[in-house]
Protein backbone atom coordinates (compact mmCIF):
# COMPACT_ATOMS: atom_id res chain seq x y z
CA UNK A 1 0.00 0.00 0.00
CA UNK A 2 2.72 2.44 1.02
CA UNK A 3 4.70 1.47 -2.08
CA UNK A 4 1.69 2.23 -4.30
CA UNK A 5 1.20 5.61 -2.66
CA UNK A 6 4.86 6.47 -3.16
CA UNK A 7 4.66 5.46 -6.81
CA UNK A 8 1.58 7.65 -7.25
CA UNK A 9 3.34 10.61 -5.64
CA UNK A 10 6.33 10.16 -7.94
CA UNK A 11 4.11 10.00 -11.02
CA UNK A 12 2.13 13.06 -9.98
CA UNK A 13 5.35 14.92 -9.23
CA UNK A 14 6.69 14.04 -12.67
CA UNK A 15 3.45 15.17 -14.32
CA UNK A 16 3.45 18.44 -12.41
CA UNK A 17 7.06 19.12 -13.31
CA UNK A 18 6.95 18.10 -16.94
CA UNK A 19 3.49 19.38 -17.90
CA UNK A 20 4.01 22.99 -17.01
CA UNK A 21 1.88 25.09 -19.25
CA UNK A 22 3.36 26.71 -22.32
CA UNK A 23 0.32 28.43 -23.73
CA UNK A 24 0.77 30.66 -26.75
CA UNK A 25 -1.74 33.21 -27.92
CA UNK A 26 -2.71 33.49 -31.56
CA UNK A 27 -0.72 36.21 -33.28
CA UNK A 28 -0.46 36.92 -36.96
CA UNK A 29 3.10 36.55 -38.37
CA UNK A 30 3.09 40.24 -39.23
CA UNK A 31 2.57 41.09 -35.54
CA UNK A 32 5.31 38.67 -34.52
CA UNK A 33 7.65 40.24 -37.06
CA UNK A 34 6.90 43.76 -35.83
CA UNK A 35 7.36 42.86 -32.16
CA UNK A 36 10.48 40.73 -32.61
CA UNK A 37 13.86 42.20 -31.73
CA UNK A 38 15.48 40.16 -34.48
CA UNK A 39 14.38 38.13 -37.52
CA UNK A 40 16.69 35.95 -39.58
CA UNK A 41 16.94 32.95 -41.85
CA UNK A 42 19.75 30.69 -40.75
CA UNK A 43 21.14 27.18 -40.71
CA UNK A 44 21.73 25.31 -37.45
CA UNK A 45 25.34 24.14 -37.26
CA UNK A 46 25.63 23.25 -33.57
CA UNK A 47 23.60 22.63 -30.41
CA UNK A 48 24.86 22.64 -26.83
CA UNK A 49 22.94 21.86 -23.65
CA UNK A 50 24.01 23.95 -20.67
CA UNK A 51 22.74 21.91 -17.70
CA UNK A 52 21.05 23.32 -14.65
CA UNK A 53 21.64 22.17 -11.05
CA UNK A 54 22.53 18.52 -10.44
CA UNK A 55 18.99 17.66 -9.30
CA UNK A 56 17.39 19.33 -12.33
CA UNK A 57 16.19 16.05 -13.85
CA UNK A 58 13.79 17.66 -16.32
CA UNK A 59 16.08 20.45 -17.51
CA UNK A 60 13.78 23.09 -16.05
CA UNK A 61 16.79 25.32 -15.41
CA UNK A 62 18.89 24.17 -18.33
CA UNK A 63 19.48 26.13 -21.52
CA UNK A 64 19.95 25.01 -25.10
CA UNK A 65 22.39 27.06 -27.15
CA UNK A 66 21.99 26.87 -30.92
CA UNK A 67 24.55 28.25 -33.30
CA UNK A 68 23.05 29.50 -36.56
CA UNK A 69 24.94 30.56 -39.66
CA UNK A 70 23.13 33.60 -41.04
CA UNK A 71 21.72 33.05 -44.52
CA UNK A 72 19.53 36.17 -44.74
CA UNK A 73 19.03 39.09 -42.37
CA UNK A 74 15.58 40.59 -42.05
CA UNK A 75 15.62 42.64 -38.85
CA UNK A 76 17.82 43.39 -35.83
CA UNK A 77 20.81 41.25 -36.83
CA UNK A 78 24.27 42.81 -36.81
CA UNK A 79 26.06 39.64 -37.93
CA UNK A 80 26.68 39.52 -41.65
CA UNK A 81 25.58 36.75 -44.00
CA UNK A 82 27.87 33.78 -43.45
CA UNK A 83 28.66 34.71 -39.85
CA UNK A 84 27.44 32.73 -36.84
CA UNK A 85 25.03 33.81 -34.13
CA UNK A 86 24.17 31.98 -30.90
CA UNK A 87 20.53 31.80 -29.88
CA UNK A 88 19.34 30.47 -26.53
CA UNK A 89 16.12 28.71 -25.56
CA UNK A 90 14.75 26.96 -22.48
CA UNK A 91 15.94 23.46 -21.65
CA UNK A 92 12.60 21.72 -22.20
CA UNK A 93 9.36 22.28 -24.08
CA UNK A 94 7.33 22.58 -20.88
CA UNK A 95 9.14 25.86 -20.32
CA UNK A 96 8.52 26.87 -23.93
CA UNK A 97 11.90 25.75 -25.19
CA UNK A 98 12.33 25.08 -28.90
CA UNK A 99 14.34 22.22 -30.37
CA UNK A 100 16.02 22.63 -33.72
CA UNK A 101 17.69 20.04 -35.92
CA UNK A 102 21.37 20.50 -36.73
CA UNK A 103 21.83 20.84 -40.47
CA UNK A 104 18.34 22.29 -41.05
CA UNK A 105 17.51 25.92 -41.86
CA UNK A 106 14.81 28.00 -40.19
CA UNK A 107 13.24 31.43 -40.24
CA UNK A 108 13.14 32.59 -36.63
CA UNK A 109 11.87 35.64 -34.78
CA UNK A 110 12.92 36.26 -31.21
CA UNK A 111 13.86 38.67 -28.46
CA UNK A 112 17.08 39.98 -26.93
CA UNK A 113 17.81 39.69 -23.22
CA UNK A 114 18.94 42.74 -21.30
CA UNK A 115 22.53 41.63 -21.93
CA UNK A 116 21.90 41.45 -25.68
CA UNK A 117 21.74 37.64 -25.88
CA UNK A 118 19.29 36.48 -28.54
CA UNK A 119 16.57 34.12 -27.33
CA UNK A 120 13.69 32.20 -28.85
CA UNK A 121 10.76 30.32 -27.33
CA UNK A 122 7.98 28.13 -28.60
CA UNK A 123 5.56 31.04 -28.89
CA UNK A 124 7.96 32.91 -31.18
CA UNK A 125 7.74 32.38 -34.92
CA UNK A 126 10.03 29.56 -36.11
CA UNK A 127 9.38 27.80 -39.39
CA UNK A 128 11.25 26.04 -42.14
CA UNK A 129 11.01 27.68 -45.53
CA UNK A 130 9.23 24.71 -47.10
CA UNK A 131 6.41 24.94 -44.54
CA UNK A 132 5.58 28.54 -45.41
CA UNK A 133 3.25 29.82 -48.08
CA UNK A 134 4.59 31.81 -51.06
CA UNK A 135 2.85 34.91 -49.70
CA UNK A 136 4.50 34.62 -46.28
CA UNK A 137 7.87 34.10 -47.91
CA UNK A 138 7.43 37.22 -50.05
CA UNK A 139 6.30 39.37 -47.11
CA UNK A 140 9.35 38.25 -45.11
CA UNK A 141 12.11 38.49 -47.69
CA UNK A 142 11.03 41.68 -49.44
CA UNK A 143 11.29 45.31 -48.31
CA UNK A 144 8.70 46.96 -50.54
CA UNK A 145 5.17 48.14 -49.79
CA UNK A 146 3.98 44.52 -49.63
CA UNK A 147 6.31 43.43 -46.86
CA UNK A 148 6.14 42.92 -43.12
CA UNK A 149 9.18 45.19 -42.75
CA UNK A 150 7.63 48.19 -44.50
CA UNK A 151 4.26 47.81 -42.81
CA UNK A 152 5.85 47.72 -39.37
CA UNK A 153 7.74 50.93 -39.94
CA UNK A 154 5.07 53.07 -41.57
CA UNK A 155 2.23 53.90 -39.19
CA UNK A 156 1.84 50.35 -37.97
CA UNK A 157 -1.65 48.89 -38.20
CA UNK A 158 -3.41 47.12 -35.36
CA UNK A 159 -4.03 43.42 -36.00
CA UNK A 160 -6.20 41.46 -33.59
CA UNK A 161 -9.73 40.62 -32.44
CA UNK A 162 -10.50 44.30 -31.76
CA UNK A 163 -9.16 45.62 -35.05
CA UNK A 164 -11.71 47.14 -37.40
CA UNK A 165 -9.94 46.58 -40.71
CA UNK A 166 -7.55 43.73 -39.82
CA UNK A 167 -9.54 41.56 -37.47
CA UNK A 168 -7.63 38.42 -36.49
CA UNK A 169 -7.64 35.71 -33.84
CA UNK A 170 -11.22 36.19 -32.71
CA UNK A 171 -12.72 32.94 -31.43
CA UNK A 172 -15.77 33.42 -33.66
CA UNK A 173 -13.66 33.85 -36.78
CA UNK A 174 -12.77 30.17 -36.95
CA UNK A 175 -9.42 28.41 -37.20
CA UNK A 176 -9.52 28.09 -40.98
CA UNK A 177 -9.97 31.80 -41.46
CA UNK A 178 -7.17 32.68 -39.03
CA UNK A 179 -4.86 30.12 -40.62
CA UNK A 180 -5.65 31.46 -44.08
CA UNK A 181 -5.01 35.05 -43.01
CA UNK A 182 -1.70 34.01 -41.46
CA UNK A 183 -0.54 32.31 -44.64
CA UNK A 184 -1.88 34.73 -47.25
CA UNK A 185 -2.87 38.16 -45.96
CA UNK A 186 -0.99 41.33 -45.16
CA UNK A 187 -2.43 44.18 -43.12
CA UNK A 188 -1.71 47.43 -44.91
CA UNK A 189 -2.64 51.04 -44.22
CA UNK A 190 -4.49 52.84 -46.95
CA UNK A 191 -5.29 56.52 -47.03
CA UNK A 192 -7.69 56.42 -44.11
CA UNK A 193 -7.61 52.98 -42.51
CA UNK A 194 -5.93 49.59 -42.32
CA UNK A 195 -7.20 46.68 -44.40
CA UNK A 196 -6.26 43.11 -45.24
CA UNK A 197 -4.81 42.65 -48.71
CA UNK A 198 -4.47 39.35 -50.59
CA UNK A 199 -7.18 37.85 -48.40
CA UNK A 200 -9.75 37.23 -51.12
CA UNK A 201 -9.71 33.44 -50.66
CA UNK A 202 -10.06 33.68 -46.87
Amino acid sequence: MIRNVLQLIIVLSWMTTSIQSCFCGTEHPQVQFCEAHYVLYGKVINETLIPGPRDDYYNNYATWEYTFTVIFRMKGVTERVGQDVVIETAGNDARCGVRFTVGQSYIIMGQNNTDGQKTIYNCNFHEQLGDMSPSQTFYLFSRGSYSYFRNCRRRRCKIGPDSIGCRYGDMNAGYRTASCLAKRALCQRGRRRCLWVNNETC
Side-chain angles (χ1 to χ4, degrees):
M1 178 69 179
I2 295 177
R3 182 179 177 182
N4 291 339
V5 171
L6 287 174
Q7 288 177 337
L8 178 62
I9 291 173
I10 291 172
V11 170
L12 290 175
S13 175
W14 176 84
M15 291 176 64
T16 303
T17 306
S18 59
I19 308 180
Q20 298 177 38
S21 62
C22 180
F23 177 78
C24 301
T26 303
E27 288 189 327
H28 191 274
Q30 184 174 339
V31 174
Q32 295 186 65
F33 184 99
C34 294
E35 295 181 351
H37 291 162
Y38 72 89
V39 184
L40 64 85
Y41 179 45
K43 181 178 181 178
V44 183
I45 61 170
N46 187 53
E47 65 174 358
T48 303
L49 179 64
I50 301 175
R54 296 183 67 180
D55 59 348
D56 183 24
Y57 303 113
Y58 306 105
N59 289 333
N60 287 322
Y61 300 98
T63 300
W64 280 103
E65 281 190 349
Y66 286 94
T67 303
F68 284 77
T69 296
V70 178
I71 299 173
F72 192 88
R73 304 183 302 172
M74 301 170 190
K75 176 183 176 182
V77 180
T78 57
E79 293 80 5
R80 296 189 299 273
V81 172
Q83 290 187 321
D84 296 340
V85 57
V86 175
I87 297 174
E88 293 184 350
T89 190
N92 64 33
D93 55 3
R95 292 178 61 85
C96 292
V98 183
R99 295 300 307 275
F100 297 103
T101 302
V102 174
Q104 298 295 314
S105 300
Y106 301 85
I107 294 171
I108 56 176
M109 308 179 186
Q111 305 297 318
N112 296 330
N113 286 336
T114 54
D115 61 358
Q117 174 61 53
K118 290 179 171 57
T119 63
I120 189 167
Y121 295 95
N122 193 46
C123 296
N124 299 129
F125 187 97
H126 54 285
E127 294 285 349
Q128 291 189 282
L129 197 58
D131 296 330
M132 297 175 57
S133 71
S135 297
Q136 282 180 317
T137 304
F138 181 80
Y139 300 149
L140 276 166
F141 283 88
S142 63
R143 288 294 184 99
S145 58
Y146 287 90
S147 69
Y148 291 151
F149 184 84
R150 179 71 64 87
N151 287 282
C152 287
R153 294 170 64 90
R154 294 177 57 186
R155 294 189 301 161
R156 178 179 167 189
C157 293
K158 180 179 180 181
I159 302 173
D162 299 325
S163 175
I164 297 174
C166 294
R167 189 174 180 181
Y168 180 81
D170 188 91
M171 295 298 292
N172 296 324
Y175 171 77
R176 289 184 179 178
T177 301
S179 177
C180 183
L181 290 172
K183 289 185 175 295
R184 297 175 182 268
L186 176 80
C187 184
Q188 190 176 65
R189 182 179 291 277
R191 292 184 176 180
R192 295 186 178 181
R193 59 175 181 161
C194 297
L195 292 172
W196 288 120
V197 296
N198 297 338
N199 65 320
E200 293 82 4
T201 58
C202 298

